[in-house]
Amino acid sequence: MEILHVAAECYPVAKAGGLGDVVGALPKYQAELGHVAKVVMPMYRTKFLYDNQWELVHEGGQHIGSHYFHYSIIKEKTNKLGFDLYLVDINGLLDREKIYGYDDDTERFLSFQVAVCDWLNKWSHKPDVIHCHDHHTGLIPFMVKYALEFRDKLADIPTVFTVHNAQYQGWIGWDKYYLLPSFDSWKWGMLDWDKTINPLASAVKCAWKVTTVSHSYLDELKGAANGLENLFGYEQGKSLGILNGIDTQVWDPITDSLIAKNYDKELVEKGKRKNKKELAGQFGLDPDKPLISFIGRLVGEKAADLLPEAISQSIYQHSGHANFLVLGSGDPNLEDQLDHMNHQFKGYFNSYIGYSESLSHLMYAGSDFLLMPSRVEPCGLNQMYALRYGTVPMVRNIGGLRDTVTDMGDPEGFGIRFDQASVGDITYSVGRAIDLYNNKPDLYTWMRSHMMTIDHSWDSSAQQYIDLYQSLK
Ligand code: ADP
Ligand code: GLC
């Protein structure tokens, strides 16, 4: 099959979170299964752009409203990522350093989507499926069906839309509807949710199939979807959950070049100790104590706002028997609080505020526990990386965390689960972690070696997507 993935992120080209990891891995695994997988994304000014060779494959022009823009599509020359990678260059709009966070993000991602449809409209053949990811690409299923310029040629191409995160929907006021390409005006309702143009809702309405990145998340969306609960209820017949995988070539403690010491399941104890020593040295922590880490965006969804209180309480209540390390960026207030705690709890706590791919690898390898108290977690990749590196996940019982981590109190359980995103539940779980580390060596050893054998590679999920595309033929 020929699959065209459309997304705002793709690792290692540009990544802000798990969306990038997924779009950098799934197409590679689909190509390994013998399919032609392509990714098209915006051309940002990232290191990957300058470090690689490109060829121009298409040039065109389009409008958003009365604004004409010229675009170019360039293709990476060497198939470096294991799939065909195309970037859309739109001068002045997409060619910036960051992926998101500009005042004109609406115009940026609209013009990206229009350019992708325009390019596809010029292909001499059609792909078997267009697979769109999250709201930045959510208007494509609508445009191919109902935009006057595209529908004749593109309307019969199956579209699949994956919801990675329904908290962000890309809302556009109706006062900006003129930015969209001319469309069949009877179909305006396919854009609308609650009197706003809602790209995520539109995709859920218009795509032939909708997927979510875990089974539990699909169920949860019917009860909590940031206003779209009813929509997910109506559309459940065409929706299914497919659990994300991880790229086991990038995330492998045996070969990872970003960690201090490589190790496998047999050498896990020694290997992790060496990595912890390196981390503890860098951050002024005690390598003999259990190290509990958090890696992620410092936002409410991840319950990052609970960290200062939960960590301080844990240090007091458990008499400093554990160390904590945080890597993340986001809410500026929270960043300041964590920074302040670096001094207040010197020797017990430290944080790195910012984004560091290499530090994240060292932390998965060198930490004993990885804390994820998320309020919302559609899938979560961190816990799967932790499992592969023999790091015990401490997770809230929600979304993809519920689908991938079992509690050590249950038969064959290999993680620590708790029910509430609350200071109390986190502090209690820290107590369980310290007890496991200090008093239950056999269980701890078994858990670590067991979790490292769990297969979360993309092999099975990549095939599930192929089966889904094939059902649309
Ligand atoms: P989300 O996509 O909601 O942020 P995921 O668990 O799916 O959550 O994926 C997060 C990805 O981003 C993981 O690869 C994680 O290691 C990475 N990550 C998050 N914050 C940082 C950071 N500050 N530095 C490096 N990597 C980070
Ligand atoms: C989103 C979700 C996260 C998921 C990722 C990749 O960012 O918040 O849970 O793992 O997408 O699908």
Side-chain angles (χ1 to χ4, degrees):
M1 299 197 84
E2 181 173 350
I3 307 134
L4 181 68
H5 290 275
V6 194
E9 298 178 31
C10 172
Y11 177 82
V13 191
K15 162 176 165 182
L19 171 65
D21 287 347
V22 169
V23 180
L26 171 62
K28 180 165 77 178
Y29 282 76
Q30 290 178 330
E32 281 169 13
L33 289 171
H35 303 279
V36 178
K38 303 182 169 182
V39 169
V40 59
M41 65 183 293
M43 192 198 88
Y44 313 108
R45 299 231 162 271
T46 64
K47 187 169 179 305
F48 190 91
L49 175 70
Y50 300 107
D51 289 352
N52 289 281
Q53 301 282 315
W54 305 88
E55 61 184 303
L56 179 68
V57 293
H58 180 74
E59 280 189 284
Q62 262 291 351
H63 291 86
I64 45 167
S66 58
H67 173 72
Y68 172 84
F69 65 89
H70 173 264
Y71 71 90
S72 320
I73 311 263
I74 56 173
K75 179 175 184 237
E76 194 275 315
K77 272 186 176 172
T78 62
N79 198 266
K80 188 171 187 178
L81 303 184
F83 51 82
D84 294 342
L85 171 69
Y86 298 88
L87 307 184
V88 180
D89 180 16
I90 304 180
N91 261 335
L93 274 177
L94 297 178
D95 54 342
R96 306 201 189 146
E97 278 174 20
K98 283 192 303 173
I99 305 175
Y100 317 112
Y102 299 100
D103 289 344
D104 58 352
D105 277 357
T106 296
E107 286 77 4
R108 296 173 72 228
F109 289 107
L110 253 178
S111 57
F112 166 64
Q113 295 175 84
V114 171
V116 169
C117 291
D118 191 61
W119 173 49
L120 261 174
N121 212 19
K122 308 271 162 31
W123 284 24
S124 53
H125 70 289
K126 297 175 186 180
D128 293 302
V129 61
I130 306 173
H131 188 157
C132 300
H133 299 265
D134 268 355
H135 74 82
H136 325 93
T137 62
L139 292 172
I140 288 181
F142 176 87
M143 288 184 194
V144 297
K145 262 187 175 162
Y146 303 121
L148 305 183
E149 208 178 333
F150 305 135
R151 64 180 180 184
D152 290 347
K153 169 113 184 261
L154 306 182
D156 62 349
I157 305 175
T159 50
V160 169
F161 182 71
T162 296
V163 181
H164 294 263
N165 196 328
Q167 293 301 108
Y168 308 95
Q169 300 171 5
W171 308 269
I172 305 173
W174 271 106
D175 56 329
K176 286 198 172 175
Y177 88 93
Y178 65 90
L179 294 176
L180 289 162
S182 305
F183 57 89
D184 175 353
S185 54
W186 287 96
K187 300 297 180 191
W188 71 271
M190 302 303 269
L191 291 168
D192 184 78
W193 192 260
D194 207 11
K195 302 189 185 67
T196 302
I197 299 175
N198 185 318
L200 190 96
S202 173
V204 173
K205 292 179 190 186
C206 297
W208 295 27
K209 288 279 180 187
V210 173
T211 70
T212 60
V213 289
S214 70
H215 300 96
S216 289
Y217 187 51
L218 180 61
D219 289 341
E220 289 164 8
L221 284 172
K222 288 170 216 151
N226 205 6
L228 302 185
E229 299 75 16
N230 289 342
L231 178 64
F232 282 103
Y234 303 144
E235 300 291 4
Q236 62 183 341
K238 68 172 183 188
S239 309
L240 78 160
I242 299 181
L243 187 69
N244 284 335
I246 59 172
D247 189 331
T248 47
Q249 290 154 12
V250 175
W251 298 95
D252 184 355
I254 301 175
T255 55
D256 194 329
S257 60
L258 300 173
I259 64 179
K261 169 97 187 141
N262 292 113
Y263 58 94
D264 60 11
K265 165 163 105 57
E266 272 67 46
L267 293 175
V268 55
E269 196 174 332
K270 229 168 152 189
K272 287 189 73 70
R273 199 177 325 123
K274 194 98 200 245
N275 285 296
K276 179 154 82 164
K277 224 166 163 191
E278 172 67 30
L279 264 182
Q282 282 184 26
F283 289 95
L285 301 171
D286 180 350
D288 293 327
K289 289 183 180 162
L291 177 59
I292 303 177
S293 293
F294 172 97
I295 300 171
R297 296 178 290 121
L298 300 177
V299 296
E301 265 173 72
K302 303 284 178 194
D305 48 298
L306 299 179
L307 292 175
E309 183 66 18
I311 291 173
S312 329
Q313 287 285 335
S314 295
I315 292 173
Y316 290 128
Q317 280 186 29
H318 304 295
S319 316
H321 285 312
N323 279 179
F324 296 86
L325 184 59
V326 170
L327 163 63
S329 61
D331 176 1
N333 276 332
L334 199 49
E335 292 182 353
D336 286 350
Q337 280 184 62
L338 292 169
D339 193 46
H340 176 73
M341 285 172 63
N342 291 347
H343 308 287
Q344 191 184 359
F345 295 106
K346 200 162 184 232
Y348 297 94
F349 168 84
N350 213 334
S351 63
Y352 178 100
I353 303 300
Y355 189 91
S356 168
E357 198 69 30
S358 55
L359 177 57
S360 77
H361 282 248
L362 184 62
M363 285 173 69
Y364 290 115
S367 305
D368 300 300
F369 298 89
L370 185 85
L371 176 63
M372 298 180 75
S374 311
R375 293 195 175 89
V376 181
E377 198 60 84
C379 177
L381 299 173
N382 299 14
Q383 80 280 11
M384 296 198 258
Y385 300 145
L387 292 171
R388 189 148 166 86
Y389 284 71
T391 302
V392 178
M394 298 169 63
V395 305
R396 183 169 171 231
N397 195 6
I398 191 159
L401 301 175
R402 180 205 295 268
D403 294 356
T404 51
V405 178
T406 53
D407 188 82
M408 63 180 184
D410 296 329
E412 310 260 291
F414 49 81
I416 295 178
R417 297 213 316 196
F418 49 94
D419 287 331
Q420 303 298 327
S422 68
V423 170
D425 271 24
I426 298 173
T427 315
Y428 180 73
S429 302
V430 168
R432 292 182 75 203
I434 296 172
D435 182 46
L436 174 71
Y437 185 91
N438 289 330
N439 307 323
K440 299 185 170 129
D442 292 347
L443 176 61
Y444 190 35
T445 304
W446 177 86
M447 281 167 62
R448 283 213 290 216
S449 63
H450 174 73
M451 68 178 74
M452 289 180 76
T453 62
I454 299 173
D455 181 7
H456 277 302
S457 76
W458 268 105
D459 293 329
S460 121
S461 300
Q463 183 60 46
Q464 288 179 52
Y465 279 110
I466 300 292
D467 295 344
L468 175 71
Y469 309 148
Q470 257 150 2
S471 74
L472 300 175
K473 270 182 148 182

